[in-house]
Amino acid sequence: MGFSNSQIHNDALPNVEDVELLSISKQYLKIIVLNKVVMCLAFVSVLVLGKFFVTKAGFQEGFWYIFSIIVGFCLLNFGLAILAFKKRKYAIREHDVIYAKGLLINSITTVPISRIQHIEESRSWLSRQFNLATLNLYTAGESGSDLSIKGLPYQEAKQINDFISSRINGNG
Amino acid sequence: METADFSHPSRQSAKGIIIIFAFNAFKFFKKFFVLFIAFGLSLAKKKSFAHINKTVIVISLVAIVIGLLVFAILKYLHFRFHINQDDFHLSTGIFNKDNTIISKSKIQNVYIKQNFLQQLINVVSLNIETAGDNKSEIEIHALDKPTALLLKRELFDQQESNILSGNITGSSEQEQQKQVFFKVSPKRLLLEGVSQNHLKSFAIIASFVFGLYYEFKDYVKDLKIRERIEAIAEFDETTLLGIFLTNVIIVLFAVLFSLLFSVIKTFVTNFDLEVVENQKTIEINKGLLNKVSLSLTPSRIQNIVIKTNRIKQYFGLHTMSVNQAMVSAKQKKNFVIIALEKSQVDHLIDKILKHYTLDSDVDKPTQYYKRILALKILVTALLVNMVAFFIFGNGALWVNAFLLPLAILYVYFGYKKAYYHINDRFVTVGGGVIDTTTNILEIHKIQAVKLRQSIFQKRRQIASVIITTASKSVKIPYVKENDAKSIYNFLLFKVESEDKDWM
């Protein structure tokens, strides 16, 4: 094959930028919000319990400082999670699967379908309530190269699962 | 048993009972070590403990030993393996029967090990490894060496080419193609040990010393180290020299210990290192207490990393690590070949990766990489400052006088050594600060490609590309966004269009 170094910059190559990335289901935002709320409530309730049971003077004095720090952290975490939700995108191409995520640190991972070892579709109790599914793609590499696409509509996850499964088996 | 017929289920060498017994006894005593100590202590306090006296203890100990022995014999009797056309079969288990079948084509590696006990009774253990996780590993604990070699050849050669079926008598032919390519001399081993990264050895020793320090805190306090160090802060001229000398002596001792530790470690793990070139595979033999012999098949190798540093370069010492798919960290160390000449490295690379070339015009990361390096060293420096401050108080801030030049050197070399090059078949990424590392991987062995960009980098249009193979990830750091995307597209295009197998 006549590929040389200069051809890296060849515009004729299929470009990730041209791919129209699809957003995951809006429903998944609810799950994220629920998870975050539960987490924050857990933190706050531990702290409030602490106020009643810990008798150390230092803790009682500093309680409102700790409280406000934790609430601030929760709000920040919450806000970032919601903003980052828009960045969770995926696309299935003929030869590969693309998944993008992250607000502060954005990453786009592509796994060629020929490198997928097996594919798994999992649904937690919560995601069943919203009719969602998570698609896990496992490669032979270390965990860094495994893809987990969360919050797909169940029907779509099933279709993708079927498509990729048939592709994997078709290629031997 | 010594007949080289593996087609019928056979057991390992009878000496295997000893090995299994020893392994189990060791495991058993390790598990109940704390219990034994507690038991012994309470016995020592009172002469008897719940009507237990000496005879009972002796009897129970003997019972444990006999139990372990019976267990070992049973385990030995139930451990059988054989090879049929394409598969390796193994059945184990006394109560829970396990039957493992591994297809020869899926075997990634077969290697022979010999620990100290095994050396004493002259047996070897044979490990069979697949690309799966640790559970799919098979270890046969005790085989005599000729049998092990034959078994290895059976498993390995036929996987290479199915033509050689039952080619056991042809071993002499095989032998002739062998060629000892590299044998390390004690002098080179010594040099390698001396020129190692002593910071690592020092870290191990330092953590050990700190552990001791906490054990004997009160005693150390008596030495009034704190007062002496505080004296530095007061700049008392007469004591300054004395303290300076003690510090120098302490540093010298630390360096000496680290050096000794590195040298001994190098000698023990790499004793008699030998690289043998077969027709298709490369064989590595090494080790003093744990003798290891393993074969590498080029098609199973996912990454190659070559390391050297300034001093090593001067002596012509290069370290080459060869990474296969999903090999546990403990084993990874065994795939390291040290003390190679540059020409030998080139030869091995050429053997493993056919027609590998690295053009002289390599690409560099953007200047932004310097910032990242500076940020990294800044965080480290802050941590060092904080620790120093809490231990030694205000006087510790002189540490920065050393840190600053080091930090500048860190950024300078970190950037200078970083480069990447991508051609038709290979990705080469260079880096390192103290070490000079070169990562090489074949494009068709890529498992996934990732583009990473923080919001700060987005403004400057800079991104990193992370390339994952089955053994490790390699990062092309902080290149221009357009270049990163081109690389990304190119690599994916190559992987997807060529349809080559990664293993």
Side-chain angles (χ1 to χ4, degrees):
Chain A
M1 283 205 217
F3 289 103
S4 65
N5 193 20
S6 63
Q7 266 182 300
I8 286 181
H9 304 288
N10 194 338
D11 296 330
L13 291 183
N15 196 338
V16 259
E17 275 192 308
D18 299 341
V19 180
E20 199 185 317
L21 292 171
L22 305 169
S23 298
I24 60 170
S25 170
K26 287 252 159 38
Q27 298 286 322
Y28 191 67
L29 187 60
K30 291 179 190 166
I31 292 185
I32 291 177
V33 168
L34 263 174
N35 277 336
K36 294 285 168 197
V37 165
V38 167
M39 194 188 78
C40 289
L41 279 181
F43 270 127
V44 170
S45 54
V46 164
L47 205 66
V48 171
L49 276 179
K51 184 166 171 60
F52 288 114
F53 291 108
V54 179
T55 45
K56 241 186 194 168
F59 179 78
Q60 292 294 347
E61 279 165 25
F63 175 79
W64 290 109
Y65 289 109
I66 302 173
F67 187 79
S68 51
I69 286 170
I70 285 199
V71 168
F73 170 76
C74 279
L75 286 178
L76 195 71
N77 191 289
F78 200 71
L80 282 179
I82 289 172
L83 286 175
F85 176 77
K86 279 185 191 161
K87 298 280 178 184
R88 292 176 184 239
K89 285 181 171 176
Y90 72 97
I92 316 289
R93 288 199 290 189
E94 198 182 340
H95 291 289
D96 49 31
V97 181
I98 303 169
Y99 183 56
K101 67 164 199 283
L103 177 73
L104 296 179
I105 297 172
N106 187 254
S107 69
I108 308 171
T109 311
T110 305
V111 176
I113 290 177
S114 59
R115 296 291 182 267
I116 294 172
Q117 294 285 310
H118 75 275
I119 177 166
E120 173 191 288
E121 165 210 305
S122 72
R123 305 179 76 201
S124 65
W125 177 83
L126 198 60
S127 59
R128 279 202 299 275
Q129 307 310 308
F130 291 103
N131 201 25
L132 295 175
T134 299
L135 209 58
N136 292 316
L137 308 174
Y138 296 96
T139 64
E142 51 175 38
S143 53
S145 64
D146 294 340
L147 270 192
S148 171
I149 306 177
K150 289 171 183 153
L152 287 171
Y154 181 46
Q155 281 306 317
E156 203 160 333
K158 238 177 150 177
Q159 276 171 18
I160 297 170
N161 194 350
D162 288 347
F163 170 70
I164 292 175
S165 295
S166 69
R167 284 297 303 266
I168 297 172
N169 297 331
N171 290 348
Chain B
M1 192 170 307
E2 276 68 28
T3 55
D5 181 17
F6 298 113
S7 55
H8 299 293
S10 55
R11 298 193 178 102
Q12 46 192 330
S13 160
K15 291 169 183 168
I17 298 173
I18 303 174
I19 302 291
I20 299 170
F21 174 71
F23 270 136
N24 283 330
F26 179 69
K27 247 193 250 167
F28 183 83
F29 282 104
K30 203 171 138 196
K31 225 179 215 170
F32 295 105
F33 186 65
V34 183
L35 209 76
F36 279 127
I37 285 187
F39 200 64
L41 277 179
S42 62
L43 263 184
K45 271 182 194 159
K46 298 177 259 171
K47 276 280 183 287
S48 72
F49 175 75
H51 308 294
I52 293 173
N53 54 27
K54 247 184 191 165
T55 41
V56 177
I57 294 169
V58 171
I59 287 171
S60 54
L61 267 180
V62 169
I64 288 171
V65 168
I66 288 175
L68 284 171
L69 198 62
V70 168
F71 184 68
I73 292 170
L74 282 175
K75 215 171 167 184
Y76 162 75
L77 288 175
H78 286 90
F79 190 97
R80 292 152 175 274
F81 58 89
H82 71 277
I83 301 174
N84 73 3
Q85 209 62 35
D86 303 308
D87 307 308
F88 175 84
H89 293 253
L90 173 76
S91 61
T92 56
I94 303 164
F95 303 111
N96 296 319
K97 301 277 182 196
D98 270 338
N99 219 333
T100 314
I101 302 169
I102 297 180
S103 140
K104 274 184 193 170
S105 61
K106 290 282 182 285
I107 293 174
Q108 164 161 265
N109 212 344
V110 179
Y111 69 94
I112 294 171
K113 268 197 323 196
Q114 197 177 26
N115 67 20
F116 193 60
L117 181 65
Q118 285 165 328
Q119 281 180 48
L120 279 183
I121 60 172
N122 199 23
V123 291
V124 297
S125 67
L126 185 99
N127 287 44
I128 299 173
E129 230 171 40
T130 58
D133 52 17
N134 297 337
K135 277 177 203 156
S136 56
E137 247 173 63
I138 288 177
E139 183 166 8
I140 304 173
H141 286 296
L143 286 172
D144 50 312
K145 201 158 183 192
T147 318
L149 285 175
L150 275 177
L151 183 58
K152 180 178 166 183
R153 192 169 297 138
E154 278 274 302
L155 290 168
F156 229 55
D157 286 351
Q158 289 190 341
Q159 141 208 337
E160 280 302 304
S161 57
N162 288 320
I163 319 153
L164 295 158
S165 53
N167 187 4
I168 299 153
T169 46
S171 58
S172 56
E173 285 172 18
Q174 209 83 25
E175 224 79 9
Q176 277 168 6
Q177 286 163 351
K178 274 189 182 173
Q179 181 196 344
V180 177
F181 165 68
F182 171 70
K183 199 166 164 61
V184 78
S185 64
K187 187 188 150 207
R188 286 182 76 81
L189 262 187
L190 184 70
L191 283 176
E192 178 76 35
V194 169
S195 62
Q196 251 181 20
N197 187 350
H198 296 299
L199 279 178
K200 229 186 239 170
S201 308
F202 180 71
I204 296 172
I205 293 172
S207 58
F208 180 70
V209 169
F210 263 98
L212 281 184
Y213 171 77
Y214 275 101
E215 292 285 314
F216 301 105
K217 222 175 183 177
D218 299 331
Y219 178 70
V220 174
K221 257 183 198 153
D222 284 347
L223 293 176
K224 294 184 179 157
I225 284 181
R226 200 186 171 97
E227 280 82 347
R228 285 188 203 181
I229 286 162
E230 271 164 5
I232 305 176
E234 290 162 19
F235 292 108
D236 191 340
E237 296 248 335
T238 46
T239 51
L240 198 60
L241 187 71
I243 283 161
F244 180 69
L245 276 179
T246 27
N247 278 336
V248 165
I249 287 167
I250 286 171
V251 167
L252 273 181
F253 260 102
V255 168
L256 207 70
F257 266 120
S258 313
L259 201 93
L260 208 65
F261 187 80
S262 303
V263 170
I264 289 170
K265 214 177 97 192
T266 312
F267 262 93
V268 168
T269 50
N270 293 295
F271 189 73
D272 260 348
L273 171 70
E274 191 181 64
V275 181
V276 179
E277 227 182 315
N278 294 332
Q279 199 175 23
K280 272 184 180 156
T281 58
I282 292 165
E283 204 177 300
I284 308 172
N285 302 316
K286 66 178 182 180
L288 181 65
L289 296 177
N290 270 314
K291 279 190 185 167
V292 192
S293 159
L294 47 96
S295 302
L296 299 170
T297 320
S299 66
R300 302 285 143 98
I301 292 166
Q302 308 290 329
N303 279 67
I304 297 179
V305 183
I306 297 145
K307 254 188 198 168
T308 183
N309 61 31
R310 251 286 137 80
I311 305 165
K312 280 183 185 173
Q313 219 161 21
Y314 178 75
F315 293 124
L317 299 167
H318 298 261
T319 301
M320 184 165 148
S321 353
V322 177
N323 300 327
Q324 293 183 304
M326 294 290 271
V327 179
S328 54
K330 196 176 162 194
Q331 231 127 274
K332 234 174 214 168
K333 280 187 224 146
N334 291 328
F335 296 116
V336 176
I337 311 171
I338 62 162
L340 287 165
E341 295 273 8
K342 182 84 181 96
S343 59
Q344 290 166 328
V345 170
D346 290 342
H347 181 85
L348 281 180
I349 290 176
D350 196 54
K351 171 106 185 170
I352 296 166
L353 314 166
K354 292 262 146 45
H355 312 303
Y356 172 77
T357 50
L358 178 62
D359 294 2
S360 51
D361 57 327
V362 292
D363 300 299
K364 303 255 335 153
T366 52
Q367 298 283 330
Y368 186 80
Y369 186 42
K370 280 186 189 169
R371 271 188 214 210
I372 298 287
L373 286 169
L375 204 67
K376 264 188 200 165
I377 198 75
L378 189 72
V379 171
T380 318
L382 275 178
L383 276 177
V384 169
N385 262 316
M386 249 151 55
V387 170
F389 184 76
F390 278 120
I391 296 178
F392 301 116
N394 260 331
L397 295 178
W398 52 261
V399 136
N400 289 315
F402 288 103
L403 279 180
L404 190 71
L406 278 182
I408 291 169
L409 284 178
Y410 177 86
V411 175
Y412 174 72
F413 280 113
Y415 185 75
K416 196 183 164 205
K417 288 182 178 180
Y419 69 88
Y420 69 93
H421 181 74
I422 295 162
N423 67 13
D424 203 15
R425 288 178 53 209
F426 305 103
V427 177
T428 311
V429 179
V433 179
I434 297 172
D435 288 335
T436 307
T437 56
T438 313
N439 275 290
I440 305 169
L441 61 95
E442 285 172 281
I443 288 180
H444 72 265
K445 287 183 175 163
I446 290 172
Q447 297 282 338
V449 193
K450 189 181 198 174
L451 194 78
R452 236 181 91 141
Q453 188 179 43
S454 73
I455 43 170
F456 305 111
Q457 290 155 22
K458 196 173 182 110
R459 272 194 313 192
R460 294 188 174 76
Q461 302 206 311
I462 284 164
S464 302
V465 183
I466 296 157
I467 303 164
T468 310
T469 64
S471 58
K472 67 179 279 193
S473 296
V474 176
K475 184 174 175 186
I476 299 178
Y478 313 107
V479 292
K480 286 205 188 79
E481 196 177 342
N482 286 335
D483 290 346
K485 278 181 179 154
S486 308
I487 293 167
Y488 194 84
N489 292 331
F490 175 74
L491 291 178
L492 282 173
F493 173 73
K494 290 296 280 185
V495 171
E496 288 162 10
S497 66
E498 279 181 349
D499 201 28
K500 272 193 199 165
D501 241 348
W502 62 275
M503 206 178 114

